[in-house]
Amino acid sequence: LQNFLTAIESAFGDVTASFDSEGKLVVTDNVSGESGLSVTLTENNEGGGTLNFGTISVDTVGGTTMRYDTGQDARMYLNGVEVTRSSNSINDVVTGITFSLLDAEPGTTIDIEVTRNISSVRNTIQGFVDAYNEVMTFINDQFTFDTDTMTGGILLGDSTLSGIQTQLRSLITDEVSGLTGEYTSLVSVGISSDSSGLLSIDSTTLDAALSANFDDVVALFIGQGSTTDSDIEYVSHTNDTIAGSYNVNITQAAEQAALSGSTAINVGGLSQAENLTITDLLTSESATVALDAGDTLSTIIDKINTALSQKIQEVHTSDTANTTDGSTPITASTTFGSIYGANVQAGDTITISGTDRNGGSVSTTFTISTTSDTVQSFLSAIENAFDGEVTASIDATGKVVVTDDTAGSSDLSVTLTPNNEGGGSLNFGTLTASTEGRGRIYVTASDSSGVLALTHDDYGSRTGFSVVSDVADLADGNSTGVGTALQQDYGLDVAGTINGEYTTGEGQFLVGNDTNDNTAGLRLQVTLTAAQLTSQGSSQGTVTLTRGITDQMDVYLDDALDTYDGTVSNHAELFQDQYDDFEAQIDRIEDRLELVEERLVRQFVELERAMSEIQSQGNFLLSQLASMTTTNT
């Protein structure tokens, strides 16, 4: 038999022939990847025997080995607060600090000591002083008059520029309202102004202030807020927010959407298989979690949390398979001329159209140069048409599969239209989403005294979810207690007032309305729970906002430089209007000059004509006089 196996290997080249443990013949392609290998053995039995190896068919399809795994977000706790990000580099939690997560060691606590870089802060302050002095120098140059040349700056005496200069000097020299302690003005930290309005820094005084009370020096420059209640946190403010201290009153705590089963799950687990479908009502993305008979509550929780945390790639699969002989599926290495019944001709084209994951239009044409072109060249054309954002392949049944390379919700659509110019019948069918892409569903499962509990990760009335099972509840508690009736819930937004002024709730965030006199744009995060609100009452202390020098300057300059209604743009518009008036006056004067010129030209022409007539008459008289003189003689 070994001689026979060797003959097979010699006939096919790079293959291995062997017998398995059941005595069946096995022929293996030694080159991994897609293969067109097929083997047929015909026993002629010339001696009258019955030797028979049977039909050799493919039981392992060659192909590129790919390992699919589900990515997970990075997760850590910082001072007891969970932080989840899609990257292992986290730089938006603590200002100025980047956490690079290099290894996962659950339960390990790492202490991080952060020290201030006084030198860097001093350089930043120096940069501000240099920029301010540059502006002041420009303004001073405009107001300079040279008595020798009798020339001055272009904006010499301009009242608007003078007003800007005065306002900037005032912001620099005034104390910051609301600050207490030693450092309430720039002078107190060693930054002083000379007679020209230019600033200078006493480095010794500034370094001493930064070392002694860094936070107070920071407050001197920036806008920041503080609260008297640990359940209320200052987040941000806008240019319209007025500095001051304001009472905070909460009438409703923010809540998360939450649902739980109607019965506890027995220790023995589910009595039958059950599918839970959980849908995020904001994004309309759904996930169906398959639960098996015998699954315990902890297993159910793990399955739900694993499924909901996954991001799914969208996959579109054609409904038509192509073969090479009526039964053998095509592969990427199949030539177009080998597609069964297609009768492809050189020059035939295929239109590739659709939309990318963002809804952008896609359209191109693939041309079959020769019938020996492989399907892989067409698959590559599909990928190129979608700018390399998809992967195109042929599945084991001979169908075209297009996969969005980016996991998450997708607007991908694909249409393949063979034009069959040569009269053939090539057909890839219609591609539809065999797997809908979706992002992570922010719902978390937990154990609530033996009952399955589901809670949305976010707060607010915009966030909610629904859950439904494909089996009815069982009285003995052997189901998840969800049942076939759809259950859904939405969260609640925080509600209340700041300084007695109206606010808008956005989940846990309370934001002063734009029409408020003092608190417009003031944003607070309220972590107060409904139970705490009941026990503590609605009054939740005060929030104090101070606006440092650079923060005030930022507001002033935003207003002054506003493109549509700023002081500078209005003044520039005034200059433009004056320029346009001068241009109009010049045009009118030039028009009058043209009229005067035309009148003078006409008068000059008339004068020339009159002089010409006078000259003609004089010549005539001279000729007459000459004639009379000759006659008399």
Side-chain angles (χ1 to χ4, degrees):
L1 288 177
Q2 182 58 54
N3 294 337
F4 173 54
L5 298 178
T6 301
I8 294 175
E9 292 173 349
S10 298
F12 284 88
D14 200 2
V15 302
T16 299
S18 61
F19 288 99
D20 65 11
S21 59
E22 297 179 354
K24 295 180 180 180
L25 178 63
V26 178
V27 180
T28 304
D29 192 331
N30 291 337
V31 179
S32 61
E34 296 181 349
S35 173
L37 177 66
S38 66
V39 180
T40 300
L41 301 179
T42 304
E43 304 81 357
N44 300 306
N45 290 310
E46 290 90 343
T50 58
L51 179 64
N52 182 18
F53 291 104
T55 300
I56 300 179
S57 59
V58 177
D59 60 6
T60 302
V61 178
T64 302
T65 302
M66 299 183 69
R67 179 177 182 270
Y68 293 90
D69 200 0
T70 301
Q72 296 186 18
D73 290 336
R75 180 175 297 178
M76 71 173 187
Y77 287 84
L78 183 65
N79 286 345
V81 178
E82 184 182 30
V83 177
T84 303
R85 295 292 185 272
S86 60
S87 169
N88 285 327
S89 180
I90 302 176
N91 59 9
D92 59 350
V93 178
V94 180
T95 302
I97 298 177
T98 298
F99 297 93
S100 298
L101 309 184
L102 305 179
D103 195 9
E105 298 181 10
T108 301
T109 300
I110 300 173
D111 293 327
I112 298 177
E113 181 179 353
V114 180
T115 58
R116 295 190 176 98
N117 188 337
I118 300 298
S119 176
S120 176
V121 175
R122 188 195 315 113
N123 291 338
T124 301
I125 295 175
Q126 182 65 60
F128 164 72
V129 168
D130 292 342
Y132 177 85
N133 286 343
E134 183 177 352
V135 173
M136 277 300 165
T137 299
F138 170 81
I139 295 175
N140 291 339
D141 289 344
Q142 302 307 306
F143 292 158
T144 300
F145 182 80
D146 189 333
T147 55
D148 294 333
T149 61
M150 300 300 289
T151 59
I154 296 176
L155 298 176
L156 179 64
D158 184 79
S159 60
T160 298
L161 185 60
S162 177
I164 292 175
Q165 182 186 51
T166 300
Q167 184 63 35
L168 292 177
R169 285 185 173 182
S170 176
L171 290 173
I172 288 297
T173 57
D174 289 351
E175 290 191 344
V176 176
S177 175
L179 292 182
T180 60
E182 183 179 354
Y183 307 121
T184 60
S185 65
L186 286 183
V187 174
S188 62
V189 295
I191 302 176
S192 57
S193 175
D194 61 18
S195 58
S196 299
L198 302 181
L199 300 179
S200 60
I201 300 176
D202 184 329
S203 298
T204 301
T205 303
L206 178 59
D207 288 350
L210 289 170
S211 299
N213 200 326
F214 182 86
D215 291 337
D216 282 1
V217 177
V218 169
L220 178 62
F221 286 92
I222 70 172
Q224 62 180 13
S226 60
T227 61
T228 59
D229 192 305
S230 60
D231 296 323
I232 310 295
E233 181 180 353
Y234 161 81
V235 178
S236 63
H237 64 276
T238 67
N239 288 352
D240 297 324
T241 314
I242 305 301
S245 293
Y246 307 113
N247 293 326
V248 179
N249 190 280
I250 304 300
T251 57
Q252 177 177 281
E255 293 184 7
Q256 299 160 288
L259 294 170
S260 60
S262 58
T263 56
I265 298 175
N266 289 343
V267 176
L270 301 180
S271 61
Q272 60 180 307
E274 185 175 358
N275 292 319
L276 293 184
T277 300
I278 301 170
T279 303
D280 189 306
L281 297 177
L282 178 62
T283 63
S284 298
E285 294 182 338
S286 295
T288 298
V289 185
L291 306 177
D292 299 317
D295 281 353
T296 63
L297 180 56
S298 62
T299 301
I300 294 170
I301 291 171
D302 287 343
K303 282 187 175 182
I304 293 175
N305 289 338
T306 298
L308 300 188
S309 65
Q310 293 176 346
K311 297 179 180 179
I312 307 300
Q313 292 171 276
E314 181 148 322
V315 180
H316 287 242
T317 304
S318 65
D319 59 5
T320 300
N322 283 282
T323 68
T324 58
D325 56 8
S327 60
T328 305
I330 65 170
T331 67
S333 60
T334 299
T335 63
F336 278 98
S338 300
I339 298 178
Y340 181 74
N343 192 28
V344 175
Q345 303 295 315
D348 282 358
T349 61
I350 305 171
T351 301
I352 304 169
S353 60
T355 54
D356 60 23
R357 71 181 329 271
N358 297 315
S361 179
V362 173
S363 182
T364 189
T365 299
F366 170 76
T367 300
I368 303 171
S369 301
T370 67
T371 56
S372 60
D373 286 350
T374 64
V375 174
Q376 181 58 58
S377 61
F378 172 55
L379 299 177
S380 298
I382 295 175
E383 295 174 348
N384 292 334
F386 286 84
D387 292 330
E389 296 178 349
V390 302
T391 298
S393 60
I394 302 294
D395 68 9
T397 66
K399 296 178 179 179
V400 176
V401 179
V402 179
T403 303
D404 192 329
D405 291 341
T406 303
S409 179
S410 175
D411 288 329
L412 178 68
S413 67
V414 184
T415 300
L416 305 177
T417 307
N419 298 306
N420 292 312
E421 288 91 342
S425 57
L426 180 64
N427 181 22
F428 292 107
T430 302
L431 277 79
T432 56
S434 52
T435 301
E436 294 283 353
R438 68 164 176 84
R440 175 184 174 186
I441 297 178
Y442 290 91
V443 175
T444 300
S446 61
D447 181 347
S448 178
S449 301
V451 174
L452 174 65
L454 299 172
T455 307
H456 203 289
D457 296 348
D458 298 323
Y459 289 80
S461 60
R462 295 179 68 249
T463 58
F465 68 94
S466 67
V467 58
V468 65
S469 171
D470 64 344
V471 300
D473 286 347
L474 302 178
D476 60 4
N478 278 347
S479 81
T480 57
V482 172
T484 55
L486 182 70
Q487 298 184 50
Q488 67 179 37
D489 189 39
Y490 284 92
L492 292 175
D493 295 315
V494 64
T497 60
I498 308 174
N499 194 44
E501 296 180 330
Y502 293 111
T503 61
T504 298
E506 300 172 357
Q508 288 186 311
F509 296 97
L510 196 67
V511 186
N513 290 353
D514 291 340
T515 56
N516 292 352
D517 293 332
N518 298 289
T519 62
L522 181 59
R523 177 179 288 265
L524 306 177
Q525 184 174 16
V526 182
T527 57
L528 191 73
T529 66
Q532 290 174 321
L533 179 60
T534 300
S535 62
Q536 298 176 14
S538 59
S539 179
Q540 296 296 315
T542 61
V543 56
T544 299
L545 174 68
T546 58
R547 309 205 63 157
I549 292 170
T550 58
D551 188 39
Q552 294 181 51
M553 188 170 292
D554 187 49
V555 174
Y556 172 71
L557 292 177
D558 275 351
D559 289 340
L561 300 175
D562 184 88
T563 304
Y564 301 102
D565 196 33
T567 303
V568 173
S569 61
N570 286 340
H571 204 52
E573 186 175 345
L574 176 61
F575 280 139
Q576 184 64 49
D577 290 343
Q578 292 176 343
Y579 174 82
D580 292 341
D581 287 342
F582 288 140
E583 285 284 304
Q585 290 180 27
I586 292 173
D587 290 341
R588 288 194 296 271
I589 292 173
E590 288 181 343
D591 290 342
R592 288 198 298 269
L593 288 176
E594 287 181 2
L595 293 175
V596 171
E597 181 182 11
E598 290 177 0
R599 186 174 69 252
L600 292 176
V601 169
R602 288 196 302 271
Q603 291 176 348
F604 181 76
V605 170
E606 290 295 326
L607 178 60
E608 280 193 326
R609 186 181 61 79
M611 292 180 63
S612 177
E613 290 180 355
I614 293 173
Q615 186 175 13
S616 297
Q617 291 176 359
N619 291 336
F620 175 74
L621 290 175
L622 288 175
S623 64
Q624 290 296 318
L625 290 173
S627 175
M628 291 174 60
T629 303
T630 304
T631 302
N632 291 334
T633 303

